[in-house]
Amino acid sequence: MAAPSAGAQKLEQGVQSEHVLQLQEQLSDLGYFNAGLTGYYGSITKSAVRKFQQAQGLSADGIAGPATLNRLNKKAKAEGETLRQLAKLIHGEARGESFEGQVAVGAVVLNRVQSDAFPSSIPQVIFQKGQFTAIDDGQFNQKPTQTSYRAARAALNGADPTNGALYYYNPKIATSVWSKSRPTLLTIGQHDFTQ
């Protein structure tokens, strides 16, 4: 993932995006951010930015503006590991689906991060035991396509064609009675999305 341009970005509380996820990863690498990687700029991210700004002698307003992002990009390389994990999950779970269907799978992960019923970070949701077939059967280890990356970015930037779904399954191949018993919110391609 390319580092956000210091002159073109201003990240602040209330924003959800791939750039916030990158900011969180960089702050985490430097020891300022010790919470779940969510892509959402909440009070914990604001506090971490403020601590980084104070340590760097910058104006400590908690807003990641051009000066803060420029300094951060010099201190920590933007690896984009969490974006890569989300793209790999989308590829493993929905590579035969439309772009909308791939975004929907990514949105389910983000919806789970925001739900109290699931872990509070993207990697923890992805790797939660027994939740995604692609993790269990090894499809997660395949190289994701550029479409999978685009779908991951779209979900991280707020696209949610499921309107808040927390689960999905393919009714043609699913064996879980529990999954099939849940009311379907909508169907996109081969997947039924549920709450």
Side-chain angles (χ1 to χ4, degrees):
M1 177 191 298
S5 164
Q9 282 282 5
K10 180 174 133 181
L11 303 172
E12 58 191 327
Q13 196 161 352
V15 172
Q16 177 181 330
S17 75
E18 65 181 288
H19 299 297
V20 173
L21 178 62
Q22 175 186 322
L23 173 72
Q24 291 172 337
E25 287 181 327
Q26 289 174 297
L27 289 168
S28 178
D29 288 349
L30 294 171
Y32 293 99
F33 186 80
N34 298 311
L37 300 171
T38 63
Y40 179 76
Y41 201 120
S43 59
I44 296 171
T45 303
K46 182 177 181 176
S47 176
V49 168
R50 188 176 285 134
K51 288 176 188 171
F52 174 78
Q53 290 169 327
Q54 288 170 341
Q56 296 297 310
L58 299 168
S59 174
D61 60 5
I63 296 171
T68 299
L69 292 172
N70 187 39
R71 185 76 54 90
L72 188 61
N73 289 335
K74 289 178 181 176
K75 295 283 183 188
K77 185 179 179 198
E79 297 289 342
E81 179 61 21
T82 304
L83 173 67
R84 187 176 71 80
Q85 290 172 346
L86 185 57
K88 287 175 70 169
L89 181 75
I90 290 168
H91 180 76
E93 292 280 317
R95 69 182 165 276
E97 297 294 321
S98 67
F99 181 71
E100 179 187 33
Q102 291 183 40
V103 172
V105 167
V108 165
V109 172
L110 276 287
N111 293 341
R112 287 183 178 194
V113 169
Q114 298 301 320
S115 168
D116 291 338
F118 293 93
S120 60
S121 81
I122 294 168
Q124 289 173 333
V125 166
I126 289 172
F127 294 110
Q128 186 178 17
K129 188 171 174 50
Q131 295 299 304
F132 296 105
T133 304
I135 299 293
D136 295 341
D137 68 12
Q139 291 183 66
F140 176 81
N141 297 320
Q142 296 179 2
K143 183 178 178 183
T145 64
Q146 288 304 310
T147 301
S148 299
Y149 273 102
R150 280 192 316 118
R153 284 186 177 98
L156 283 165
N157 290 321
D160 182 4
T162 74
N163 296 313
L166 294 173
Y167 304 95
Y168 62 89
Y169 68 97
N170 182 332
K172 293 180 182 173
I173 60 173
T175 58
S176 169
V177 174
W178 181 85
S179 291
K180 291 180 177 185
S181 71
R182 302 187 69 76
T184 299
L185 297 173
L186 75 157
T187 300
I188 301 173
Q190 299 296 312
H191 289 133
D192 285 356
F193 291 85
T194 67
Q195 274 295 47

